[in-house]
Amino acid sequence: MYKINDNYLKLPGSYLFSTIGKKVAAYTAEHPEKSIIRLGIGDVTQPLAPAIIEAMHKAVDEMGCAETFHGYAPDLGYEFLRNAIAGGDYQARGADIKADEIFVSDGAKCDSGNIQEIFSTDNRIAVCDPVYPVYVDTNVMAGRTGTYDAETEMWSDVIYMPCLAENGFAPKLPKETPDLIYLCFPNNPTGSAITKEQLQMWVDYANRVGAVIIYDAAYEAYISEENVPHTIYECEGARTCAIELKSFSKNAGFTGVRLGYTVIPKDLKCGGVSLHALWARRHGTKYNGAPYIIQRAGEAVYSEEGKAQLKEQIAYYMKNAKTIRDGLKDAGYTVSGGVNAPYIWLKTPDKMTSWEFFDYLLEKAGVVGTPGSGFGPSGEGYFRLTAFGSYENTLAALERIKKM
Ligand SMILES: *Cc1c(COP(=O)(O)O)cnc(C)c1O
């Protein structure tokens, strides 16, 4: 008789976005005359940049010609893309990462979920709270998290690192020693960033206690401040303790196209065993490689034309972020984020819970956002707004919020 992986049964249902959907549907049914503005969108909305479309068209034509046809992609990605990434994202920033330390994939969600497979189930994980849910959920599936307490919404074997206003939404070093540390900066959902000195502290800590940092840099392109690192490899010693995840989703609009990569430096070793070799083995066995057409699209992100066009897209979203930030501040709200990330994190007024504020905002302004409590217990009393809407809608939403 077969058995299922019953770790899956431990996963609590994900009610966040379905509950939001139901509440919005109920409101619309009751107030058919009122328009809803969505400032909770977690997906990009701008179309792919012309330089990227051009590269894809060209690659499509190559696929239709015997001389330039491409079959299976190389396991770890095409050289042209790995070279573009190593040059554009690392060497240009003085970070010592080479093309053969980059593993091209179909996105950071898969990589951030799969990377735990190369580690023992005995490892203790540490995560920021609130956090992107993939890190914890995939460790639950692997049986690494112990038991769930519905009351506290916490797992017994996970080390939670609260990110609150008191610590500038940056985690403090944990009291218990973790083996795997998930960090994401600039952060989803809080929109916070950490300085190079703060990240260096984590790198030093990981090297000292023998932990690995899994660093999610999905929002790197939104960084506007000088002292915020674009990659963990700007920190000294990161080559022996850090894996970095990157995505083309938020910087180049690839959420529907799918492309990302993981960096594992060859110096990252556990008792002499290379993590690079383990991940290469896994990638070669379980992964077919991103399509040629998509990897050519990714290469175009690093062209002069592509870079200029994407800079404009990011500027568009960040103008929205500034509009939300400044508008909320004028209206008397306590806000953070929105400077190095497309997310604005606001403290709910009058000690409202996250969901109470959701209802209040929907009822009074017809504006939809995301309750902070949906990202973890320390998100309670906070609310996430995103900069991915249109500028016109963002302005209109702020006008409504100011009139509440
Ligand atoms: C959006 C996002 C990603 C990107 O995932 P893809 O699978 O590449 O689209 C990764 N990490 C975080 C924290 C995100 O918010």
Side-chain angles (χ1 to χ4, degrees):
M1 180 64 190
Y2 68 87
K3 289 186 184 136
I4 57 156
N5 174 356
D6 57 10
N7 291 317
Y8 279 64
L9 303 180
K10 297 182 196 167
L11 281 167
S14 177
Y15 299 113
L16 182 61
F17 290 100
S18 69
T19 308
I20 292 173
K22 278 185 203 142
K23 281 177 179 274
V24 173
Y27 177 87
T28 315
E30 222 176 290
H31 309 278
E33 75 293 351
K34 289 198 185 157
S35 69
I36 299 271
I37 303 180
R38 292 177 194 274
L39 286 192
I41 308 167
D43 194 354
V44 292
T45 51
Q46 298 274 299
L48 292 174
I52 293 163
I53 293 296
E54 200 181 306
M56 288 173 84
H57 276 304
K58 189 165 165 253
V60 167
D61 288 341
E62 286 180 59
M63 293 297 277
C65 192
E67 291 75 39
T68 49
F69 169 77
H70 286 77
Y72 283 123
D75 285 344
L76 311 188
Y78 282 102
E79 279 303 313
F80 63 79
L81 180 58
R82 299 167 85 203
N83 285 332
I85 293 168
D89 288 345
Y90 296 99
Q91 287 147 20
R93 302 190 186 289
D96 176 23
I97 292 296
K98 295 180 184 68
D100 64 359
E101 295 174 313
I102 291 159
F103 298 79
V104 174
S105 74
D106 59 355
K109 177 157 120 182
C110 313
D111 285 351
S112 64
N114 292 331
I115 194 73
Q116 47 80 26
E117 285 185 24
I118 62 169
F119 298 100
S120 161
T121 47
D122 295 339
N123 287 324
R124 293 273 324 258
I125 70 159
V127 293
C128 294
D129 171 29
V131 74
Y132 180 61
V134 175
Y135 316 142
V136 172
D137 287 358
T138 52
N139 277 286
V140 173
M141 293 167 180
R144 212 175 269 117
T145 56
T147 53
Y148 185 66
D149 182 340
E151 197 67 34
T152 60
E153 298 177 21
M154 286 177 165
W155 294 90
S156 59
D157 292 352
V158 172
I159 300 168
Y160 290 88
M161 306 185 290
C163 296
L164 300 161
E166 295 90 280
N167 47 26
F169 303 100
K172 286 194 197 138
L173 293 179
K175 288 192 188 77
E176 298 166 88
T177 307
D179 302 300
L180 309 178
I181 304 165
Y182 289 85
L183 295 179
C184 171
F185 289 102
N187 188 264
N188 177 14
T190 67
S192 67
I194 57 174
T195 63
K196 190 170 166 186
E197 291 70 36
Q198 283 175 304
L199 187 55
Q200 184 67 55
M201 176 192 78
W202 281 96
V203 168
D204 294 343
Y205 173 76
N207 275 319
R208 190 165 72 243
V209 302
V212 172
I213 297 173
I214 298 163
Y215 193 71
D216 186 337
Y219 295 96
E220 172 275 317
Y222 292 84
I223 293 170
S224 69
E225 291 181 317
E226 268 300 305
N227 59 348
V228 175
H230 287 254
T231 156
I232 196 167
Y233 303 111
E234 285 178 41
C235 294
E236 203 143 326
R239 284 185 57 85
T240 55
C241 71
I243 291 173
E244 184 161 282
L245 312 168
K246 266 305 271 291
S247 164
F248 289 73
S249 285
K250 310 301 174 10
N251 65 327
F254 278 43
T255 53
V257 174
R258 309 307 315 148
L259 191 66
Y261 66 84
T262 288
V263 181
I264 307 187
K266 293 198 171 162
D267 300 347
L268 186 48
K269 289 184 180 150
C270 180
V273 178
S274 155
L275 298 194
H276 183 281
L278 294 187
W279 190 242
R281 190 71 177 84
R282 188 210 178 271
H283 224 54
T285 302
K286 291 202 188 185
Y287 187 62
N288 267 326
Y292 174 74
I293 297 162
I294 307 303
Q295 295 199 41
R296 281 294 183 199
E299 183 189 26
V301 167
Y302 299 90
S303 69
E304 288 310 316
E305 233 187 338
K307 278 195 281 195
Q309 290 163 1
L310 293 174
K311 210 171 152 189
E312 263 177 55
Q313 283 195 356
I314 301 281
Y316 179 88
Y317 293 134
M318 291 312 274
K319 187 171 149 198
N320 289 345
K322 185 171 162 41
T323 304
I324 299 170
R325 228 182 111 87
D326 294 353
L328 289 172
K329 274 191 181 161
D330 288 348
Y333 289 92
T334 304
V335 291
S336 58
V339 175
N340 298 296
Y343 299 119
I344 290 87
W345 193 238
L346 75 98
K347 182 100 197 78
T348 59
D350 306 324
K351 296 206 161 63
M352 275 188 232
T353 65
S354 298
W355 278 110
E356 282 166 356
F357 186 73
F358 177 92
D359 292 335
Y360 174 74
L361 194 64
L362 180 59
E363 195 60 44
K364 297 274 191 245
V367 172
V368 179
T370 314
S373 55
F375 300 98
S378 293
E380 183 56 273
Y382 288 93
F383 202 75
R384 191 189 77 173
L385 296 173
T386 76
F388 291 129
S390 71
Y391 181 58
E392 294 69 29
N393 274 351
T394 303
L395 274 184
L398 264 296
E399 282 314 307
R400 292 187 190 181
I401 291 171
K402 283 181 186 169
K403 287 198 196 112
M404 286 202 309

